[in-house]
Amino acid sequence: MYEQVSHSLLNQILEEIKPEISKRNLLRFYTRLGANFYAIHSLFTQLYGERKDFLEQMVRLVEVLATRYIERSADLEALDIEREHDHNWFLAQNWVAMALYADGFAGDLQGLQHRCAYLQELGINMLHIMPMMKCPEGASDGGYAVCDFLDIDARYGTLSDLQTLTAHLRKRKMLVALDVVVNHTSDQHEWAVKAKQGDKQYQDYYYTFPDRDIPDMFEETMPEVFPENAPGNFTFDTSMNRWVMTVFNNYQWDLDYSNPAVFIEMADIILFWANMGADIVRLDAVAFLWKKIGTTCQNEREAHLILQLMKDCCQVTAPGVLFIAEAIVAPVEISKYFGEDAVIAKECEIAYNASFMALLWDAVATKNTKLLSQGIKSIPNKLDRATWLNYIRCHDDIGLGFDDADIINVGYEPYPHRKFLIDYYTGVYEGSPARGQPFARNDKTGDARISGSLASLVGLEYALESNDEELIEQSIKLILLLHSIIMSFGGIPLLYYGDEIGTVNDCSFMQDENKANDNRWLNRPRIDWQKADLHKQHGSVEQKLFDSLQRMIAVRKSVPVFADFNNRELIDTDNEHLFIFIRNHFNQQYEPVLVVCNFDNRPQMLNLSELGNRGLFELGQLRDLATGESPALFKDQLVIPPYRYYWLTVQP
Ligand code: OTU
């Protein structure tokens, strides 16, 4: 029996809907609306059921979904249909992503279009273009303080440039991911400006308070995200004469999702970018979407309801579009952003694997993989129809967000161990070649995070400066080792622009007063194309990295067991310098691949009999898919050179 309440509500909405919509023949839209309406209605009721204007808000939401559906181009709708048929398309091993700033990478969007050939040469077929919606002239948190969600900032070009670019990429079967900063707006956004002028309707878009009563209550349990640059979570606005919640920088005002108007605006904005050609939408800071006194205001149940509702709405209008959850939170919390269904991602299909990223950095500094192995075991299995974004570096800092319990479990103490890592990566630790900087130091908690580019953190910058050939080679190997893991682990590998040619820290931000106090700009470089072109010159660092990555990507795409179907088995051995796992095909159709990585600076041995009979690796002739070579064996033991990785198959 169908569900009566939502069904009659749907009928009522269809009667009230604007004539421009109701007169049109939108069969496909109504089919999807019908299929998703029970979920939409029950989520909307859980969030906003108490409100007097409930029906009015629901009608408005459906009108938004229909209007954006009508606007969706035939091209994009064809993709929606194709992806409905092949709904596991994004789990395949052929996707390799890169995140980049359009300006830092290529000047602007047109420049980026010219550089597509370079990306294709490397093998990239998914581009995350960092936020480029209109922002204030001054500080804008790298594009995360948006003052107009429906326009591109002139720095990058125009909406039409973007549409040309997305069409250009679509022809090349490359995907585009765009950011939507759902948690907050710039204090110069029209909504904030109206709120400042005293407009009550827009003050209700934010958390504003006449005095410190409620802010003080919130502060009792809310952590600080940027304790150095933006201490506290509230800012006093003199024109409004009120306190406003600003979890991130003081110019980023948090949106209040307990107001359905905010949700509907944001659904409209997400669908606008879907219609601009985004295949994937990266939802920024999703853990923060719901605030409750007495909590950390992160990972609240309602934040998940909002994302589920958002997904269901997107399912109606643009079902081919995927969501990325950017939730840099504790390992057990992150996977909840897939949605807690048994199979389908009811929230976001993709999530940043921040825990894995931080664990990789632990293994590099310690040359030991025990915390990495332990930490991975604590990451819950992903849903069948969901996948991770596996990355080494991004535009942000590295937070050492592993579980204290895991740290203790492997025999370290949490505080001194984290301190060691910070000292190591900031080059304070004796003998460390790393050139990072501490970010967001918090004197109250003793916490800190780390900024710096991949190349500088692994020691390449120091090695080049000191002309240390051995250290240069070692840094190159480490960069490749880390990439070999994100390429083979299961999930979408997300490279970061510049890393493919070993780009070191970019210190130019210190000359810009709007950036100088935020050292995450160290790892948001402006690419020097003269230097980048060295990737064509044999023997250069750029060439060694670029060519090896190009090959690695090509091999990844050709190995079916690298697709992400929970088809990985981690292997514990007695050797704590090795990180080992097997990728199997779920129905044994393809040969398994044994991935062996040595995080140590000395050769390590693996006794193949320790693998049991998994894949019978001890019997046949081993071949490394990455190089095509057969690895060295010493008395039945596999020898893994320093910082070397193998992708091994057995030749019958
Ligand atoms: C995200 O960051 C963005 O990636 C940052 O670049 C922005 O500054 C921030 O949101 C505000 O828009 O919200 O869920 O450096 O790890 O703030 C995690 C701290 C986030 C980031 C964190 C992150």
Side-chain angles (χ1 to χ4, degrees):
M1 194 179 74
Y2 69 85
E3 200 277 321
Q4 306 282 356
V5 180
S6 69
H7 196 88
S8 54
L9 175 67
L10 180 55
N11 284 333
Q12 203 178 340
I13 290 173
L14 297 182
E15 273 165 33
E16 296 205 11
I17 213 160
K18 292 194 258 189
E20 311 86 284
I21 297 171
S22 64
K23 278 205 220 103
R24 299 181 63 132
N25 175 10
L26 305 175
L27 177 63
R28 217 180 281 278
F29 172 77
Y30 288 119
T31 308
R32 288 185 191 133
L33 182 63
N36 290 285
F37 195 73
Y38 173 69
I40 292 178
H41 171 227
S42 63
L43 289 164
F44 210 79
T45 308
Q46 286 183 66
L47 288 161
Y48 310 117
E50 301 295 301
R51 292 180 57 111
K52 283 206 265 334
D53 60 352
F54 180 81
L55 176 66
E56 202 184 312
Q57 297 287 356
M58 281 252 42
V59 174
R60 173 82 195 111
L61 177 64
V62 172
E63 282 177 351
V64 161
L65 301 184
T67 308
R68 291 293 180 206
Y69 174 78
I70 291 167
E71 178 196 86
R72 197 155 171 80
S73 73
D75 267 14
L76 294 174
E77 177 148 40
L79 264 180
D80 288 335
I81 295 165
E82 199 182 303
R83 289 174 186 168
E84 276 177 329
H85 289 299
D86 178 19
H87 51 247
N88 280 342
W89 63 276
F90 60 100
L91 305 179
Q93 74 281 3
N94 67 305
W95 300 114
V96 179
M98 179 182 275
L100 52 80
Y101 283 92
D103 55 346
F105 182 71
D108 58 16
L109 286 170
Q110 290 185 8
L112 176 54
Q113 191 162 324
H114 293 305
R115 293 290 178 195
C116 278
Y118 171 87
L119 296 170
Q120 263 193 307
E121 189 189 352
L122 185 60
I124 301 298
N125 51 14
M126 187 187 285
L127 272 194
H128 168 213
I129 311 175
M130 297 296 296
M132 46 184 179
M133 294 174 197
K134 199 166 265 172
C135 278
E137 278 290 316
S140 67
D141 191 22
Y144 286 102
V146 176
C147 60
D148 184 353
F149 284 108
L150 301 179
D151 204 358
I152 299 268
D153 201 289
R155 281 171 263 209
Y156 306 104
T158 62
L159 277 174
S160 131
D161 290 337
L162 179 71
Q163 276 175 307
T164 315
L165 174 68
T166 53
H168 180 87
L169 292 170
R170 221 172 300 129
K171 260 191 235 145
R172 285 159 181 73
K173 301 230 176 298
M174 290 170 83
L175 305 179
V176 189
L178 297 179
D179 266 274
V180 178
V181 188
V182 282
N183 178 67
H184 43 263
T185 74
S186 152
D187 61 353
Q188 294 178 41
H189 188 285
E190 191 193 341
W191 304 334
V193 171
K194 286 188 177 153
K196 286 184 202 174
Q197 289 161 353
D199 188 330
K200 179 82 180 57
Q201 184 193 343
Y202 287 98
Q203 285 183 356
D204 286 349
Y205 273 38
Y206 301 97
Y207 296 90
T208 76
F209 306 97
D211 52 42
R212 285 291 312 185
D213 272 7
I214 293 179
D216 284 342
M217 274 189 254
F218 268 114
E219 290 288 15
E220 283 168 23
T221 48
M222 279 176 96
E224 294 168 299
V225 181
F226 299 140
E228 289 175 309
N229 295 346
N233 288 287
F234 294 86
T235 302
F236 189 71
D237 183 76
T238 46
S239 49
M240 188 165 66
N241 220 1
R242 289 173 80 85
W243 290 91
V244 56
M245 186 186 281
T246 54
V247 169
F248 294 91
N249 288 295
N250 55 16
Y251 52 81
Q252 287 165 304
W253 288 21
D254 285 68
L255 287 164
D256 181 356
Y257 277 87
S258 69
N259 179 355
V262 169
F263 177 87
I264 295 168
E265 296 268 19
M266 213 36 94
D268 186 45
I269 289 162
I270 288 174
L271 294 171
F272 170 82
W273 292 102
N275 285 351
M276 291 304 291
D279 300 280
I280 305 173
V281 176
R282 174 193 185 273
L283 302 176
D284 183 59
V286 288
F288 295 81
L289 289 180
W290 197 269
K291 306 340 193 246
K292 215 181 271 171
I293 292 172
T295 72
T296 58
C297 297
Q298 291 181 38
N299 307 314
E300 284 301 308
R301 180 175 157 268
E302 288 84 350
H304 289 284
L305 298 182
I306 288 166
L307 291 169
Q308 286 164 26
L309 181 57
M310 205 56 101
K311 183 76 260 190
D312 285 326
C313 290
C314 192
Q315 225 39 48
V316 174
T317 301
V321 172
L322 305 179
F323 285 173
I324 298 179
E326 195 260 347
I328 314 302
V329 291
V332 287
E333 294 295 338
I334 298 187
S335 54
K336 294 184 186 161
Y337 289 91
F338 292 132
E340 293 178 79
D341 187 74
V343 180
I344 298 164
K346 295 259 187 209
E347 293 183 23
C348 301
E349 292 87 350
I350 307 175
Y352 280 83
N353 204 345
S355 321
F356 186 42
M357 178 277 298
L359 290 162
L360 288 172
W361 285 106
D362 186 87
V364 171
T366 58
K367 301 186 174 65
N368 186 305
T369 61
K370 62 182 179 181
L371 185 56
L372 172 60
S373 301
Q374 175 65 34
I376 287 168
K377 288 179 200 137
S378 308
I379 303 175
N381 260 359
K382 69 166 192 81
L383 303 182
D384 287 356
R385 283 197 48 215
T387 195
W388 293 108
L389 266 188
N390 291 323
Y391 65 112
I392 309 162
R393 282 308 283 123
C394 71
H395 68 291
D396 278 333
D397 49 290
I398 300 170
L400 305 174
F402 3 84
D403 233 343
D404 280 358
D406 286 337
I407 303 183
I408 294 165
N409 208 317
V410 299
Y412 303 128
E413 281 178 67
Y415 185 80
H417 188 67
R418 288 204 178 85
K419 181 166 185 327
F420 156 73
L421 293 173
I422 289 159
D423 288 348
Y424 183 88
Y425 284 115
T426 54
V428 171
Y429 186 81
E430 168 110 39
S432 159
R435 282 282 177 86
Q437 286 183 21
F439 176 74
R441 259 187 301 213
N442 188 331
D443 294 335
K444 284 168 251 168
T445 59
D447 289 343
R449 313 195 297 257
I450 298 150
S451 291
S453 78
L454 169 60
S456 295
L457 292 176
V458 298
L460 184 59
E461 181 180 345
Y462 173 77
L464 288 168
E465 263 174 31
S466 44
N467 236 325
D468 182 336
E469 274 307 320
E470 207 183 309
L471 196 54
I472 294 176
E473 284 310 311
Q474 174 184 309
S475 310
I476 291 175
K477 283 190 192 135
L478 251 172
I479 292 174
L480 295 175
L481 176 76
L482 291 167
H483 280 95
S484 79
I485 297 175
I486 62 167
M487 299 267 193
S488 59
F489 194 68
I492 302 169
L494 172 68
L495 281 69
Y496 188 60
Y497 80 116
D499 289 349
E500 78 287 5
I501 46 169
T503 305
V504 299
N505 286 344
D506 185 338
C507 295
S508 61
F509 75 101
M510 305 212 305
Q511 265 69 58
D512 182 337
E513 55 167 359
N514 294 314
K515 297 177 177 168
N517 67 350
D518 187 339
N519 61 27
R520 289 177 299 170
W521 287 97
L522 279 174
N523 40 287
R524 298 170 181 178
R526 190 159 276 275
I527 297 300
D528 170 352
W529 282 96
Q530 250 172 4
K531 200 167 162 292
D533 281 340
L534 290 176
H535 84 265
K536 295 180 200 135
Q537 187 182 304
H538 187 76
S540 68
V541 170
E542 289 79 3
Q543 179 265 327
K544 287 181 189 168
L545 284 169
F546 188 97
D547 285 2
S548 306
L549 286 171
Q550 183 186 48
R551 177 172 177 124
M552 217 189 273
I553 291 172
V555 174
R556 165 185 158 88
K557 290 181 182 173
S558 73
V559 178
V561 294
F562 284 171
D564 194 19
F565 292 98
N566 277 328
N567 50 334
R568 174 186 55 243
E569 189 189 349
L570 216 60
I571 297 183
D572 279 323
T573 65
D574 292 337
N575 190 328
E576 290 186 346
H577 304 290
L578 297 178
F579 181 53
I580 307 172
F581 54 89
I582 292 187
R583 303 299 314 276
N584 279 302
H585 192 254
F586 45 98
N587 63 18
Q588 315 294 314
Q589 199 186 334
Y590 299 103
E591 290 300 316
V593 175
L594 176 70
V595 177
V596 185
C597 305
N598 181 4
F599 276 84
D600 198 28
N601 56 353
R602 289 157 304 175
Q604 296 295 328
M605 308 286 228
L606 170 66
N607 199 333
L608 290 169
S609 62
E610 278 193 72
L611 302 174
N613 59 2
R614 300 181 186 93
L616 303 173
F617 284 96
E618 77 274 39
L619 294 179
Q621 165 85 44
L622 293 178
R623 197 172 73 92
D624 177 20
L625 290 173
T627 55
E629 292 160 10
S630 289
L633 286 174
F634 177 73
K635 294 189 187 159
D636 276 356
Q637 304 228 79
L638 178 69
V639 185
I640 309 106
Y643 302 116
R644 182 69 193 260
Y645 73 95
Y646 285 132
W647 289 348
L648 299 173
T649 50
V650 192
Q651 281 188 328

